[in-house]
């Protein structure tokens, strides 16, 4: 311990004496460790931090595997769920839930509240009890007893002032009175950002083919997920035999509950991001290692004296590593400060509200990660210079401690520069591919005209809108009234907007074309009013659209998109064919074919879509789309006022332009591209600094040689070319290695790219040119300094 303290004191004195070296090293390491800590904090929030439930590892999500397509769906059939979990000894409890919006009225202006309908057992399955009052009882999950609600803590504080007397009071949800049973703890907003819960009432037998709920179950102590999944097998086989039309290829599957909360494509993205910031840290380490090599050359006499006085090589290495680790820990501390700012910036660039269980903060796990990275970094960049410096030539060093550091050290410094250039090139190629992909997405044709379109959503619930006909009448009145506004050119109502993230699908059959697999195909099902295609600028490329008369009369007609026509009419003209969405539903005659519109994401191809007159579907969740005269945002106030005159009990929400809706559909690609750009820019700067440092040191150590050359007649341009040529060789070797590495590394990005391939020739040509130019520019500055060397001064100094 005394020896360690002695090493620490000596390290602090030497680092304080070398303020320039210490400042540059700390800056490089703080940048590298800071961005690693920032990205790891996000990864930790999503994948490592335990979920805020009792014994979260025992929670599993119940999924359905479609054996025909191989797809796994997290929205399942409620009757299937009941059969799989009823009397199943593998589970101590199970529950279902689905998102539900409410219009909340409690003596004030109605408010749109995100909520969920849940099994009465849900809170018990999660192991979270209300902070005030109670949760649901089993009997409250039946019709007639379900007019009860539990509030979120935030909603209770904001809307009810935190009054504990809210328990037992009455609120109106969608025009219907509900009794408040309790308030959940602060921070609880299951499953994402919900603030109000009511019991789910569903028939355990009917609508087996409808897949609309998500399910969670709690394993009994000692039961593994594999054992519980095996227990679903006998029930699955019975359901396949009893209900072949809906369950022919369906099987029950269990997954860690976290998988139900995070999109499956997020984990590969984070792996790529962690790899990218790891590259930046390696480049920073190479820079500091080069600084240490240069510093060790100036300490040759000191190290030789210590060795002559009896210090063994191990003792010297330990002292030098102590200095390196101390610098790394200080850099880590600064990196944590940068990460605090970086986490705030990262959160600010996410346009959507984060799920309640996601907290991008620097908890103990993140700080432990930073400390481990700092120590590992100190050893990584300090070991090679320490070993090199400890090989002291005592006689040479004691005779003259100012001469160069030798060919071996020069080769090591050159290898570090080559590594920096190679790693920088990989990052630059990846960043350029991501940025180009994002630009392609922004310029992609979604199949509609988003300019001048304002959209807003509302929830038609309660007794006033209990039937399809009532909801259809409201939509017709709203469209007519809004079209009377001077700011509105045309209006339409639709169940869900394309690219909004909300999609309803229905199975269907085409008359005279039985399914080969025995199971009906599915397509996006979109009830619309007559002006929908005109408002969103979607061309009808064959036949015609829906007329106002057909919509008002709920005529059995349908418009399908190009993909539907291509996939399901065998090349024949689809006009006049008939389609139905269920054996009890009417046949719809196809009257037109519309252009394909991207439904889920701009970068995902369009699937088959059916457009039907609005009264047929007349969903509770309705979107109004308006083509405006002038800037869409200027019409927002008039639209709100008009809707309040129609029904003051309805709350509008998500009022956005169609361009904003489109942007939200690929905001994550923009964020990832921007982060990659930041990482690549840091890598480029660090690589340039590294090349400059190596060449500046080379010029300083070769001052005598350069003086001799100039004394013998060498001109300044010759000296510049000599120095730049050396840098060009290092940069060229790094670019070559980096190109080979990038060809393999960018394949990981292939699934994240749009409109550009992972081996895009333009990218692989432009990036080496840019990086090579930066490298030569970084070498040109010390080369110019070398050309100004006075031969007499250089020779006299030697």
């Amino acid at each position: 311990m005394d020896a360690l303290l002695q090493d620490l004191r000596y390290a602090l004195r030497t680092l304080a004496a070398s303020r320039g070296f210490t400042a540059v090293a700390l800056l490089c390491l703080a940048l590298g460790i800071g961005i690693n800590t920032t990205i790891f904090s996000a990864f930790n929030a999503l994948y490592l931090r335990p979920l805020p439930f009792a014994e979260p590892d025992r929670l599993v999500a119940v999924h359905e595997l479609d054996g025909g397509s191989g797809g796994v769906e997290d929205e399942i059939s409620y009757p299937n769920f009941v059969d799989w979990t009823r009397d199943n000894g593998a589970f101590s409890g199970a529950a279902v839930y689905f998102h539900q919006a409410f219009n909340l009225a409690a003596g004030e202006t109605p408010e749109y509240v995100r909520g969920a309908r849940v099994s009465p057992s849900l809170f018990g399955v999660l192991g979270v009890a209300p902070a005030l009052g109670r949760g649901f009882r089993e009997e409250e999950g039946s019709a007639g007893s379900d007019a009860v609600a539990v509030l979120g803590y935030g909603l209770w504080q904001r809307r009810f002032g935190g009054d504990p007397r809210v328990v037992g009071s009455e609120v109106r949800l969608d025009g219907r009175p509900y009794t408040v049973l309790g308030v959940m703890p602060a921070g609880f907003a299951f499953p994402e950002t919900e603030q109000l819960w009511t019991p789910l009432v569903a028939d355990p037998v009917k609508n087996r083919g409808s897949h609309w709920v998500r399910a969670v179950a709690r394993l009994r102590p000692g039961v593994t997920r594999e054992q519980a999944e095996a227990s679903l097998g006998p029930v699955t086989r019975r359901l396949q035999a009893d209900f072949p039309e809906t369950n022919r290829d369906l099987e029950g599957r269990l997954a860690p509950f976290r998988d139900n909360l995070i999109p499956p494509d997020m984990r590969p993205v984070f792996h790529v991001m962690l790899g990218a910031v790891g590259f930046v840290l390696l480049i920073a380490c190479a820079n500091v290692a080069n600084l240490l090599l240069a510093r060790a050359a100036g300490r040759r006499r000191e190290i030789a004296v210590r060795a002559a006085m009896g210090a063994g090589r191990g003792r010297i290495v330990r002292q030098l590593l102590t200095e390196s680790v101390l610098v790394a820990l200080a850099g880590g501390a600064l990196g944590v400060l940068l990460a605090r700012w970086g986490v705030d910036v990262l959160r600010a660039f996410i346009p959507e509200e984060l799920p309640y269980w996601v907290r991008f903060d620097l908890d103990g796990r993140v700080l432990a990660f930073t400390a481990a990275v700092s120590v590992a970094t100190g050893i990584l960049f300090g070991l090679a210079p320490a070993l090199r410096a400890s090989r002291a030539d005592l006689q040479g060093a004691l005779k003259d401690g100012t001469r160069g550091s030798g060919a071996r050290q020069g080769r090591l410094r050159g290898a570090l520069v080559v590594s920096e250039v190679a790693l920088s090139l990989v990052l630059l190629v990846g960043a350029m591919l991501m940025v180009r992909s994002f630009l392609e997405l922004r310029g992609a044709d979604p199949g509609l005209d988003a300019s001048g379109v304002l959209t807003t959503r509302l929830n038609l619930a309660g007794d006033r809108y209990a039937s399809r006909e009532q909801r259809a009448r409201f939509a017709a009145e709203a469209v007519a009234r809004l079209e009377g506004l001077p700011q509105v050119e045309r209006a339409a109502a639709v169940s869900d907007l394309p690219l909004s993230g909300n999609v309803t699908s229905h199975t269907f059959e085409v008359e005279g074309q039985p399914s080969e697999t025995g199971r009906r195909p599915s397509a996006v099902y979109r009830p619309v009013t007559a002006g929908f295609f005109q408002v969103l600028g979607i061309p009808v490329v064959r036949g015609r659209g829906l007329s106002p008369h057909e919509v008002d009369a709920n005529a059995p007609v349908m418009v399908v998109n190009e993909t539907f026509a291509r996939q399901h009419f065998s090349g024949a003209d689809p006009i006049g064919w008939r389609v139905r969405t269920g054996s009890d539903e009417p046949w719809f005659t196809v009257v037109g074919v519309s252009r394909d519109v991207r439904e889920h994401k701009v970068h995902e191809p369009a699937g088959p879509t059916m457009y039907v007159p609005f009264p047929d579907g007349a969903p509770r969740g309705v979107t109004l789309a308006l083509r405006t005269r002038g800037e869409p945002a200027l019409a927002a106030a008039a639209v709100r006022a008009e809707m309040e005159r129609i029904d003051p009990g309805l709350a509008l929400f998500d009022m956005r332009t169609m361009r904003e809706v489109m942007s939200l559909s690929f905001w994550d690609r923009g964020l990832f591209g921007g982060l990659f750009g930041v990482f690549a820019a840091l890598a480029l700067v660090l690589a340039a600094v590294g090349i400059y440092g190596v060449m500046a040191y080379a010029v300083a150590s070769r001052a005598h040689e350069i003086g001799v050359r100039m004394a013998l007649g060498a001109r300044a341009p010759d000296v510049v070319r000599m120095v730049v040529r050396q840098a060009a060789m290092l940069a060229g070797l790094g670019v070559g290695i980096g190109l080979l590495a990038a060809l393999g590394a960018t394949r990981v990005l292939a699934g994240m790219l749009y409109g550009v391939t992972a081996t895009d020739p333009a990218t692989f040509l432009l990036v080496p040119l840019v990086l090579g130019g930066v490298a030569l520019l970084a070498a040109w500055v010390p080369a110019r300094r070398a050309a100004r060397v006075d031969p007499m001064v250089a020779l006299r100094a030697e």
Side-chain angles (χ1 to χ4, degrees):
M1 180 59 70
D2 290 339
L4 178 60
L5 291 175
Q6 184 181 9
D7 287 344
L8 286 173
R9 287 193 295 269
Y10 186 77
L12 288 171
R13 287 199 303 271
T14 56
L15 291 174
S18 305
R19 294 186 181 88
F21 158 79
T22 304
V24 174
L26 286 179
L27 179 60
C28 290
L29 293 174
L31 289 172
I33 295 175
I35 63 171
N36 272 269
T37 302
T38 299
I39 299 303
F40 181 79
S41 70
F43 183 78
N44 172 60
L46 289 173
Y47 293 102
L48 301 181
R49 180 182 288 132
L51 294 173
F53 312 125
E55 300 180 275
D57 292 341
R58 286 173 50 201
L59 291 176
V60 294
V62 184
H63 292 165
E64 288 179 340
L65 169 66
D66 186 340
S69 65
V72 177
E73 297 295 333
D74 51 11
E75 292 188 345
I76 68 174
S77 160
Y78 182 73
N80 285 348
F81 161 81
V82 171
D83 288 330
W84 278 325
T85 57
R86 181 194 291 133
D87 301 325
N88 190 325
F91 306 122
S92 61
V96 297
Y97 59 94
F98 78 103
H99 300 276
Q100 173 71 59
F102 298 95
N103 293 308
L104 168 66
E108 301 178 20
T109 304
E111 176 184 353
Y112 166 79
V113 178
R114 298 184 186 275
R117 294 201 182 271
V118 303
S119 297
S121 60
L122 177 72
F123 299 142
V125 171
L126 297 178
V128 181
L132 187 67
R134 66 172 178 87
F136 303 119
R137 294 176 179 148
E138 197 62 36
E139 62 269 19
E140 289 166 340
S142 57
S145 303
D146 61 325
V148 290
V150 173
L151 306 179
Y153 188 90
L155 177 63
W156 175 52
Q157 290 288 325
R158 186 185 73 252
R159 192 65 188 263
F160 302 95
D163 186 353
R165 292 174 296 179
V166 72
V167 175
S169 68
E170 183 180 283
V171 297
R172 298 190 72 82
L173 302 178
D174 301 327
R176 179 186 175 192
Y178 279 71
T179 300
V180 176
L181 298 180
V183 177
M184 294 304 290
F188 183 88
F190 183 88
E192 293 179 355
T193 59
E194 282 65 21
Q195 283 291 300
L196 196 152
W197 301 268
T198 61
L200 179 144
V201 178
D203 194 306
V205 177
K206 294 182 179 179
N207 300 320
R208 189 173 293 273
S210 180
H211 306 267
W212 57 286
V213 295
R214 298 190 177 197
V216 56
R218 179 172 289 276
L219 301 177
R220 288 191 182 277
V223 177
T224 66
R225 181 161 52 90
E226 292 73 17
Q227 291 170 334
E229 187 170 273
S231 73
L232 304 181
V235 182
T236 293
R237 290 187 288 273
R238 175 175 62 79
L239 296 178
Q240 290 174 341
D242 293 347
F243 308 100
E245 184 174 348
T246 58
N247 285 63
R248 179 188 301 272
D249 298 314
L250 283 184
E251 300 177 25
R253 286 287 184 269
L254 301 179
F257 186 59
R258 192 186 293 269
D259 292 357
N260 229 34
L261 302 175
I262 306 174
D265 58 350
M266 286 297 292
R267 188 181 288 270
V269 170
F270 269 100
H271 288 167
V272 171
M273 301 298 283
L274 288 170
V277 295
F279 276 19
V280 175
L281 184 57
L282 288 175
I283 295 170
C285 287
N287 260 354
V288 179
N290 260 324
L291 289 173
L292 284 172
L293 286 171
R295 186 164 176 263
R299 299 176 66 185
R300 291 175 69 235
R301 183 186 293 274
E302 170 203 337
I303 294 171
V305 169
R306 297 186 67 188
M309 295 179 65
R313 189 181 182 196
R315 184 71 175 81
I316 294 173
V317 169
R318 191 180 73 184
Q319 173 63 54
L320 296 177
L321 280 180
T322 300
E323 296 178 18
S324 301
V325 171
L326 196 60
V327 170
L329 288 174
L334 289 177
V336 168
L337 297 179
L338 288 177
R340 289 179 64 89
W341 173 77
V343 165
D344 291 339
V345 171
L346 183 62
R347 191 186 296 113
F349 275 90
I350 298 177
E352 298 180 344
E353 186 178 359
L354 291 172
Y356 78 100
W357 51 270
V358 177
R359 301 192 312 275
F360 289 173
D361 54 16
L362 307 182
D363 62 7
R365 186 179 290 102
V366 174
L367 294 177
F369 166 83
T370 304
V373 167
S374 299
V375 172
T377 297
I379 296 173
L380 177 65
F381 70 72
L383 186 59
L387 292 174
R388 180 71 64 195
S390 64
R391 294 177 184 169
D393 176 7
L394 296 184
Q395 290 187 348
L398 293 173
K399 286 180 181 178
D400 187 356
T402 62
R403 294 290 294 262
S405 58
R408 287 184 178 179
Q409 192 178 91
R411 285 195 295 269
L412 179 57
R413 291 171 62 82
L416 290 172
V417 169
V418 169
S419 301
E420 289 185 66
V421 173
L423 291 172
S424 299
L425 188 136
V426 174
L427 274 180
L428 284 167
V429 167
M432 187 168 180
L433 290 175
M434 292 289 287
V435 171
R436 288 191 59 192
S437 177
F438 175 67
L439 294 177
E440 290 287 337
L441 276 174
R442 291 191 62 179
D445 182 7
L448 53 82
D449 179 10
S451 60
V453 176
L454 180 68
T455 73
T456 188
R457 297 173 62 197
L458 44 87
N459 185 44
L460 301 181
D463 296 338
R464 183 173 180 178
Y465 305 106
S467 68
R468 290 183 178 182
E469 292 74 19
Q470 290 170 315
R471 297 193 290 273
R473 283 197 297 271
F474 167 83
E477 181 184 1
V479 167
R481 295 272 291 269
L482 291 174
E483 285 185 336
L485 295 175
Q487 301 94 330
V488 178
E489 179 180 324
R490 192 73 188 267
V494 58
S495 56
D496 295 302
L497 284 172
L499 300 173
S500 66
N502 303 304
V503 177
T504 300
S505 296
H506 273 231
T507 58
F508 66 91
E509 63 176 308
V510 177
E511 189 175 31
Q513 293 186 5
S515 172
E516 296 179 359
T517 64
R519 295 187 61 197
R520 293 174 175 173
S522 65
V524 174
Y525 182 81
R526 182 162 283 135
V528 299
T529 58
F532 172 77
F533 296 105
Q534 291 82 4
V535 170
L536 289 188
I538 303 173
V540 177
V541 297
R542 189 180 303 171
R544 61 178 178 81
L546 303 175
S547 70
H549 170 73
E550 289 169 328
V551 172
D552 293 340
N554 197 22
V557 293
M558 172 186 291
V559 173
V560 299
N561 70 343
E562 294 171 306
T563 296
F564 190 109
R566 184 172 57 254
Q567 291 182 358
H568 299 289
F569 293 106
S570 305
D573 186 350
I575 306 301
W577 283 68
R578 299 204 303 170
V579 178
R580 68 177 177 181
T581 57
S583 55
D584 297 330
E585 297 295 324
W587 288 99
F588 288 79
T589 301
V590 177
V591 298
V593 178
S594 72
R595 184 185 181 189
D596 279 344
V597 175
R598 306 296 174 92
E599 295 290 348
H600 301 274
K601 300 284 187 180
V602 173
H603 58 275
E604 295 178 359
T609 303
M610 305 177 287
Y611 300 95
V612 300
F614 191 86
D616 181 75
R620 293 184 180 275
V622 178
T623 299
L624 298 174
L626 307 93
R627 182 162 290 279
T628 62
R629 298 182 175 94
E631 182 62 34
L634 299 179
V639 170
R640 289 186 183 277
E642 192 64 32
M643 293 304 299
E644 186 173 353
R645 283 190 282 270
I646 297 173
D647 185 351
L650 290 177
L652 300 184
F653 61 98
D654 289 350
M655 184 172 282
R656 299 185 177 107
T657 67
M658 192 62 205
R659 289 197 182 277
E660 290 173 333
V661 172
M662 288 176 54
S663 297
L664 284 173
S665 73
F666 57 85
W667 68 264
D668 53 342
R669 301 301 180 102
L671 177 62
F672 299 147
L675 288 173
F676 252 93
V678 171
F679 303 156
L682 282 175
L684 185 61
V685 170
L686 289 173
V689 169
I691 292 171
Y692 170 83
V694 167
M695 299 318 300
Y697 179 79
V699 167
S701 63
R702 297 174 65 184
H704 176 72
E705 173 194 343
I706 293 171
V708 170
R709 288 175 178 270
M710 298 188 73
L712 294 175
R715 298 175 301 165
D718 298 327
V719 174
V720 171
R721 279 195 297 270
M722 178 186 71
V723 176
V724 171
R725 187 184 304 116
Q726 182 182 356
M729 291 176 61
L730 295 175
L733 184 56
V735 165
I737 296 173
L739 283 174
L740 294 176
L743 285 171
T746 53
R747 293 184 181 181
V748 180
L749 298 176
M752 302 166 58
L753 301 177
Y754 174 82
V756 59
T757 65
T759 56
D760 176 60
T763 299
F764 276 82
L765 177 63
L766 181 61
V767 168
L769 291 177
V770 171
L771 185 57
V774 170
L776 294 180
L777 181 62
W780 180 78
V781 176
R784 289 275 296 174
R785 186 180 304 151
R788 298 194 186 101
V789 170
D790 184 340
M792 296 304 298
V793 173
L795 292 174
R796 189 162 50 244
E798 283 294 314

